[in-house]
Structures are given as structure tokens and as C-alpha cells.
Amino acid sequence: MEIIKIVGISLTATFLAMILKEQKPNFAFLLVLFSGCMIFLFLVDKIYEIIAMIERIAANAKVNLVYVETILKIIGIAYIAEFAAQVTKDAGQGAIASKIELGGKIIILAMAIPILTVLIETIIKLIPN
């Protein structure tokens, strides 16, 4: 029931932030940032379990682990960029948040090029001459 803990932390932080926002908006933002980081740290164990499971499945399927690791890195970049963009939006910096999202997308595209190349080469080999 990890979701109960996550919701508990989130609701507590939300109510406290609403109260603090009136007198100390800086502390309210820090509380929201801290609670977001706590939730992320709480989920690190689950993320590790998921990564280990995907690597086991890939090893059993005899898939090249370089491709699996690249895909996992891409997923990690997407989550980190989204988290950073949300925190930045919470701080009232929407323009910077959109640049974080753009940067994440470009990095993901750059990392995906080798996988796309192999995929296209495989498809071309399957097409009869």
C-alpha cells in the first residue's frame, strides 16, 4: 500500500503549504519541493526493482542489453525532465520549465538514434529485393 504513504505525504504537504503560503511563500515552496523529493526517494526502491526485472526479461529473451539500457536511460531522462519541469512550474517559472522539457526531448531523440538505426536496418533486411 505504497500509494497510501504517497497520498499521505502529498496531502499533508499540500495542507501545510496552503497554510504557509499566506505568511511565508518561500517556506511553502520549499515544503512542496521537499515533499516531492521525499516521494521520489520513496519510489527509488520500486524503480530499482522494475529495472532489475526488465534486465532479467531481456537476458532471458537474449536481447542485447545495450539496447535495454539505452531504453531505460531514455525513460529515466523523461521522468527526471518531467519532475524538474513540474518543480520549475511550481516556482512560477513556466518558460524555464518548457526549456527543460525541450532539452529532455532532444536528449531522448539523440539517445534513440542508434536504436532507430538498428530497427530500420532490420526492417530493410526483411524486405525482399
Side-chain angles (χ1 to χ4, degrees), residues 26 70 84 102:
N26 292 338
T70 302
L102 176 64

Side-chain angles (χ1 to χ4, degrees), residues 12-36 87 90-91:
T12 303
T14 301
F15 294 134
L16 289 174
M18 289 173 56
I19 293 168
L20 282 174
K21 193 172 189 175
E22 298 296 320
Q23 282 99 24
K24 303 280 184 180
N26 292 338
F27 287 136
F29 173 71
L30 289 175
L31 174 66
V32 170
L33 181 63
F34 178 75
S35 63
V87 169
D90 288 343

Side-chain angles (χ1 to χ4, degrees), residues 81 84-104:
Q86 288 176 3
V87 169
T88 308
K89 285 178 187 175
D90 288 343
Q93 300 298 319
I96 295 173
S98 65
K99 304 313 180 276
I100 292 170
E101 291 171 346
L102 176 64

Side-chain angles (χ1 to χ4, degrees), residues 35-108:
S35 63
C37 290
M38 289 299 297
I39 291 169
F40 180 75
L41 291 175
F42 177 74
L43 295 172
V44 168
D45 289 338
K46 292 292 179 190
I47 294 168
Y48 179 76
E49 289 175 20
I50 292 167
I51 291 170
M53 181 181 61
I54 291 172
E55 288 177 344
R56 277 195 312 272
I57 292 170
N60 290 340
K62 295 182 180 36
V63 174
N64 191 342
L65 287 180
V66 172
Y67 301 126
V68 175
E69 289 173 1
T70 302
I71 291 171
L72 290 174
K73 286 178 186 177
I74 288 171
I75 293 168
I77 289 168
Y79 281 127
I80 291 169
E82 177 69 20
F83 180 75
Q86 288 176 3
V87 169
T88 308
K89 285 178 187 175
D90 288 343
Q93 300 298 319
I96 295 173
S98 65
K99 304 313 180 276
I100 292 170
E101 291 171 346
L102 176 64
K105 290 173 185 176
I106 291 171
I107 292 169
I108 287 170

